[in-house]
């Protein structure tokens, strides 16, 4: 029986979420799972408001099997813990037989949308969240992996955000980075490999007006790191991607 503090949502992998091989795109897997995480927060009383918003700081995703076009699935989500100004949230995608095929752990902070400063979660919101914690629910991904810190010196490409890149807060959408990185890789490689792991550290928001520099580096076969750097030379985010050959 599912824990009362875990919300389960039915999910259908629509055709427009798939790539040319009929697989859900990695960015659509992540955004779909995050959308249901936001719905859980809204229905439980600690969702975003006109003055407060949730921003993602870290994300780990393990894909045991890539969801396929027109597949009927379920997405479960819950809060694992709450500490200082951050909270860890888990999201699990299962198939119709109950097999876990994608697991995600994210670290979120709540911020004041006007000042962009973090909000202390020890107040009323934190009290509400504490009543919803599920610390011991099993998940294939046990924690967000530590991200590889190997320097990425060379710039692979530069990108100035377009309309489709900007989120509701007027900044670079945190998931669109994944699309940009995969778009820069050879299509022959993407078509012949499944992505298995995505680890992300978000350090600074990318603005809607500044050019971002992307550096991608292969550490070993099927293992890549990428860094996105702002115009002032400060790293905005860092990614680690792992693949397996089909």
């Amino acid at each position: 029986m599912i824990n009362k503090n875990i919300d389960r949502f039915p999910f259908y992998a629509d055709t427009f979420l798939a790539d040319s091989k009929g697989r859900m795109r990695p960015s659509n897997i992540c955004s779909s799972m995050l959308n249901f995480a936001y719905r859980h927060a809204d229905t439980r009383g600690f969702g975003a408001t006109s003055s407060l918003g949730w921003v993602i700081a870290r994300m780990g995703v393990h894909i045991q099997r890539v969801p396929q076009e027109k597949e009927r699935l379920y997405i479960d989500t819950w809060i694992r813990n709450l500490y200082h100004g951050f909270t860890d949230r888990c999201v699990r995608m299962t198939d119709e037989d109950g097999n876990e095929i994608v697991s995600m752990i994210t670290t979120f902070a709540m911020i004041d949308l006007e000042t962009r400063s973090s909000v202390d979660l020890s107040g009323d919101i934190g009290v509400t969240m504490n009543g919803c914690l599920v610390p011991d629910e099993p998940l294939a991904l046990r924690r967000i992996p530590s991200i590889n810190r190997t320097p990425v010196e060379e710039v692979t490409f530069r990108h100035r955000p377009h309309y489709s890149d900007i989120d509701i807060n007027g900044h670079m959408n945190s998931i669109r980075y994944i699309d940009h990185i995969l778009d820069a890789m050879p299509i022959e490689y993407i078509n012949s490999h499944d992505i298995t792991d995505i680890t992300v550290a978000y350090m600074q928001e990318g603005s809607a007006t500044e050019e971002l520099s992307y550096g991608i580096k292969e550490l070993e076969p099927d293992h890549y790191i990428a860094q996105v750097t702002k115009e002032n030379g400060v790293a905005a985010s860092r990614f680690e991607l792992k693949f397996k050959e089909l």
Side-chain angles (χ1 to χ4, degrees):
M1 183 176 178
I2 196 167
N3 187 293
K4 67 177 183 179
N5 288 322
I6 298 175
D7 281 355
R8 169 165 289 179
F9 301 92
F11 178 73
Y12 181 69
D14 291 293
T15 299
F16 73 87
L17 299 176
D19 65 10
S20 63
K21 298 298 182 180
R23 307 170 296 184
M24 271 191 77
R25 291 187 179 89
S27 60
N28 288 333
I29 294 172
C30 295
S31 60
S32 297
M33 296 176 79
L34 289 173
N35 281 337
F36 286 110
Y38 281 114
R39 285 179 59 180
H40 175 272
D42 287 339
T43 58
R44 299 283 175 154
F46 42 85
T49 69
S50 59
S51 59
L52 300 174
W54 289 106
V55 295
I56 189 168
R58 299 177 66 223
M59 181 176 74
V61 182
H62 176 60
I63 303 174
Q64 299 180 66
R65 176 177 71 77
V66 178
Q68 301 297 301
E69 176 200 13
K70 299 182 179 180
E71 188 170 4
R72 297 188 183 277
L73 306 157
Y74 293 95
I75 294 178
D76 303 333
T77 181
W78 65 96
I79 301 171
R80 174 176 284 178
N81 55 39
L82 182 67
Y83 49 98
H84 308 300
F86 297 92
T87 180
D88 286 342
R89 173 177 285 281
C90 299
V91 192
R92 173 175 59 211
M93 182 181 285
T94 59
D95 63 19
E96 286 192 298
D97 295 323
N99 301 306
E100 183 176 327
I101 61 173
V102 184
S103 50
M104 169 190 282
I105 302 175
T106 55
T107 299
F108 276 93
M110 177 165 272
I111 64 168
D112 183 301
L113 295 177
E114 183 176 351
T115 65
R116 310 304 293 180
S117 58
S118 60
V119 173
D120 184 358
L121 296 178
S122 63
D124 292 341
I125 292 177
V127 171
T128 303
M129 294 178 69
N130 267 312
C132 296
L133 297 182
V134 186
D136 300 321
E137 180 71 14
L139 191 70
L141 184 66
R142 302 182 67 177
R143 60 178 179 81
I144 301 176
S146 298
I147 200 161
N148 190 293
R149 294 293 178 182
T150 301
V152 182
E153 299 91 355
E154 295 186 10
V155 174
T156 306
F157 67 96
R158 291 181 172 86
H159 178 81
R160 188 173 296 277
H162 303 302
Y163 167 78
S164 60
D165 295 323
I166 307 305
D167 65 17
I168 195 171
N169 295 317
H171 294 89
M172 181 70 192
N173 184 292
S174 56
I175 300 302
R176 283 287 287 157
Y177 290 115
I178 298 172
D179 284 327
H180 296 164
I181 293 167
L182 295 180
D183 283 346
M185 299 176 71
I187 188 65
E188 296 80 10
Y189 179 84
I190 298 299
N191 284 342
S192 61
H193 290 73
D194 277 346
I195 194 166
T196 62
D197 295 275
I198 304 170
T199 306
V200 191
Y202 297 103
M203 285 83 81
Q204 288 197 10
E205 294 174 314
S207 78
T209 58
E210 68 178 319
E211 185 177 73
L212 299 170
S213 298
Y214 289 67
I216 304 172
K217 184 173 187 176
E218 183 178 16
L219 295 180
E220 57 186 8
D222 303 331
H223 186 184
Y224 295 82
I225 55 172
Q227 181 168 300
V228 181
T229 305
K230 295 161 66 72
E231 286 182 338
N232 61 5
V234 174
S237 53
R238 192 170 178 89
F239 298 77
E240 186 167 354
L241 309 175
K242 295 180 181 180
F243 298 82
K244 66 178 180 183
E245 189 171 4
L246 296 176

